Amino acid sequence: MLLALLLLLADALPAQSRLEASVLDGIAGSCPGRSVAIDADLTRACRAFAAAVQAGRAPVSGPAASFFASLESYEPSPVAGIATVSPSSRADRAAGELYPKTCRFSRVGVAAAELRDGSAVVCALTAFHGTTLSHIPGRVEAGQSVNVSGTLEQGLGNPRLYITRPSGEVEEMKLGGSGTAFSTRVLLGERGEHSIEVLADGAGGPQVAAVRRVFAGVVPPSRPPPEGRVREGLGGVEEAIARLRASRGLPPLVRDRDLDAAAEAHSQEMARTRTFAHVLPSDGSLGDRLRARGYAYRSIGENIGLSSDVGTAHEAIAGSPAHLANMLDPRHRRLGLGAASGLTADGAEGVYLTEVFAVPIVGIPDPVAEVARFIAAERKRRGLPPLQRDPALDGVADQEVRVTAEADQMKLDRALAGRALQRTEGLSSAVAELYVASAPEEVGSSKNLSERKWTRIGVGALYASSRQYGAGRLWVLLLYGR
């Protein structure tokens, strides 16, 4: 009887303390000098995943484990290590091998569950813990407020908050605080899931610092969604974005070959450098990349994702409120997609996905006439008398805007108003304004447009590329006179 009891104990699933000791011992051996702590949230996520596998509610996969991490933890990109072992008594040995060997993490959670056939599923979730977020409960009553406060990791700044509401609407909120500290309260008035995301700027551009899913007045999901919902390839991503926009009453985006090339090049550069970032030292920001290609734009946006395939990379993007806002921006008209396979910073195989959104500048055949029409309409809308077009002022403005655009300098000649007075009969005073714009309506910010004292106007406008301001910019010079 004693022998049989010892054999049964030997085949039993190891205790949680043994799993944790095993993973920490393994890390200490492979990552000497690395300080790694057991994370309660990641451990709870691994336990939920293992229990779901045991109950048949989840597959044995990394995405399924990451789903439970998204419910329990605010870490933006935990890495999942999953294994099945037999007999279950070997679960602690497996736990000691499931962490990334690159050692780029500082927190770990681990758990295991015995399956019906005597084997065990083992889960390890690791994350580099930088930003600290105060506890936000995952489930609250509808109408309740939660406190979003914390401290950014070193090297990050300019924190801002994005929230995806149950309706799908993305809301940006201000974050109070000073330095790296931030704090605000968020009202969760609607029933359903609210995704709360803290975005900050670092050396590699904007990045997600923390994300928390909160369920107001509803029960959180107990099983992960079906995998592989986005059709394979970039065509599947394009279709998914079109479906998302159509669900909000927005038109589909038109694929743009130049934006495709820019997205593909950035994905390849991320894969080459094994760096997941919007801004790389070798190719700069999205604006830098598009200017280098001579692409003229009014506004742009960029999403990047990294996963085992293009579809899951896009799904990860769609789960971020800030990235979702890019896809749902009603201004955007063009889309570029690019992907590249390569090693991640952790040494695993991955696919880098880049999504580029833009409103291109489309040149107007007669920009002078369009600017003049806009000014006339704007004066009428503001209840002001019309300005008379003056041929002499037009001539001065046209000559000066050409000189300025050729010099690529946002600088007015101090003698310009004096020349205008000399060349125009009956003029007692004049003032000039210079703009480098994307469209005629941008001159609506003109300070003198609302001045009743002006009676005449001269307009100079042309399209010219600029080393400073980008390709195909609209240069406008306005001369007001009386």
Side-chain angles (χ1 to χ4, degrees):
M1 290 293 293
L2 179 60
L3 177 60
L5 179 61
L6 289 174
L7 288 174
L8 286 172
L9 289 173
D11 288 338
L13 185 72
Q16 179 68 23
S17 59
R18 279 184 57 189
L19 295 174
E20 294 178 356
S22 179
V23 74
L24 291 178
D25 285 346
I27 292 169
S30 300
C31 311
R34 187 74 174 174
S35 177
V36 177
I38 297 293
D39 186 279
D41 293 340
L42 295 178
T43 295
R44 192 163 52 251
C46 269
R47 284 175 169 166
F49 162 74
V53 171
Q54 189 181 50
R57 290 184 283 105
V60 180
S61 70
S66 296
F67 163 78
F68 286 99
S70 75
L71 295 178
E72 302 289 349
S73 171
Y74 64 81
E75 299 291 353
S77 53
V79 176
I82 306 299
T84 53
V85 294
S86 183
S88 60
S89 58
R90 297 180 180 176
D92 56 337
R93 300 180 191 178
E97 296 292 333
L98 290 179
Y99 55 89
K101 299 306 183 285
T102 52
C103 306
R104 295 169 61 91
F105 58 92
S106 58
R107 298 287 179 90
V108 62
V110 62
E114 190 168 7
L115 305 179
R116 292 180 180 179
D117 61 0
S119 65
V121 59
V122 188
C123 164
L125 286 163
T126 55
F128 177 79
H129 180 73
T131 295
T132 298
L133 192 67
S134 298
H135 175 69
I136 300 175
R139 184 178 180 185
V140 299
E141 294 300 321
Q144 186 174 335
S145 293
V146 295
N147 180 50
V148 180
S149 61
T151 306
L152 295 177
E153 69 173 284
Q154 188 175 3
L156 294 183
N158 187 29
R160 54 257 195 218
L161 188 67
Y162 289 85
I163 306 168
T164 302
R165 300 296 189 178
S167 63
E169 177 187 357
V170 179
E171 179 183 347
E172 182 177 3
M173 294 183 64
K174 292 183 178 180
L175 276 175
S178 60
T180 58
F182 56 87
S183 179
T184 193
R185 291 199 67 81
V186 177
L187 175 65
L188 308 180
E190 300 175 63
R191 284 172 51 86
E193 179 184 350
H194 300 254
S195 182
I196 301 172
E197 180 178 79
V198 177
L199 201 72
D201 294 331
Q207 67 182 69
V208 179
V211 61
R212 186 73 171 108
R213 300 174 68 183
V214 182
F215 296 84
V218 295
V219 178
S222 61
R223 63 176 69 227
E227 295 179 13
R229 292 172 297 167
V230 175
R231 188 171 66 83
E232 187 177 350
L234 296 178
V237 173
E238 182 181 2
E239 291 174 2
I241 294 173
R243 285 196 303 269
L244 175 67
R245 287 177 63 88
S247 71
R248 311 295 167 82
L250 297 171
L253 300 173
V254 177
R255 284 289 289 276
D256 187 307
R257 287 183 297 179
D258 292 332
L259 295 183
D260 278 347
E264 185 76 20
H266 187 60
S267 289
Q268 290 176 355
E269 192 62 11
M270 287 193 291
R272 185 187 71 83
T273 59
R274 295 171 63 173
T275 304
F276 182 61
H278 287 278
V279 182
L280 299 176
S282 52
D283 68 359
S285 67
L286 174 60
D288 295 331
R289 287 176 254 133
L290 293 183
R291 282 190 290 270
R293 292 176 177 274
Y295 191 92
Y297 61 86
R298 292 180 61 181
S299 64
I300 51 174
E302 181 180 66
N303 292 338
I304 56 174
L306 175 59
S307 190
S308 56
D309 57 68
V310 166
T312 54
H314 173 72
E315 288 177 352
I317 287 172
S320 159
H323 293 81
L324 188 63
N326 265 338
M327 290 186 277
L328 294 176
D329 191 325
R331 298 173 300 171
H332 291 153
R333 292 292 180 267
R334 301 286 180 87
L335 171 67
L337 300 172
S341 299
L343 294 178
T344 69
D346 294 320
E349 290 285 344
V351 174
Y352 294 84
L353 172 65
T354 303
E355 303 172 350
V356 177
F357 308 87
V359 180
I361 294 176
V362 180
I364 301 168
D366 189 351
V368 172
E370 287 297 322
V371 171
R373 274 195 289 269
F374 172 80
I375 288 175
E378 194 65 12
R379 290 275 293 191
K380 183 177 181 180
R381 188 185 69 82
R382 299 181 189 185
L384 298 169
L387 297 171
Q388 181 184 347
R389 286 285 299 280
D390 189 302
L393 290 179
D394 278 347
V396 176
D398 178 71
Q399 181 181 14
E400 186 64 22
V401 78
R402 293 180 184 278
V403 171
T404 305
E406 186 176 349
D408 196 14
Q409 291 185 347
M410 186 73 172
K411 185 177 180 181
L412 281 171
D413 184 350
R414 292 183 178 180
L416 178 59
R419 290 202 305 273
L421 293 176
Q422 292 174 2
R423 297 185 187 183
T424 310
E425 292 184 7
L427 209 63
S428 61
S429 63
V431 65
E433 293 181 354
L434 178 65
Y435 297 88
V436 180
S438 304
E441 56 266 23
E442 291 181 30
V443 302
S445 61
S446 167
K447 294 181 179 179
N448 289 284
L449 183 57
S450 294
E451 290 288 340
R452 187 175 292 272
K453 64 182 179 181
W454 302 118
T455 58
R456 305 189 205 177
I457 191 167
V459 179
L462 57 84
Y463 285 97
S465 293
S466 164
R467 292 184 300 274
Q468 297 186 64
Y469 308 110
R473 311 308 291 182
L474 177 61
W475 294 71
V476 179
L477 194 144
L478 302 177
L479 266 173
Y480 294 90
R482 61 172 180 171

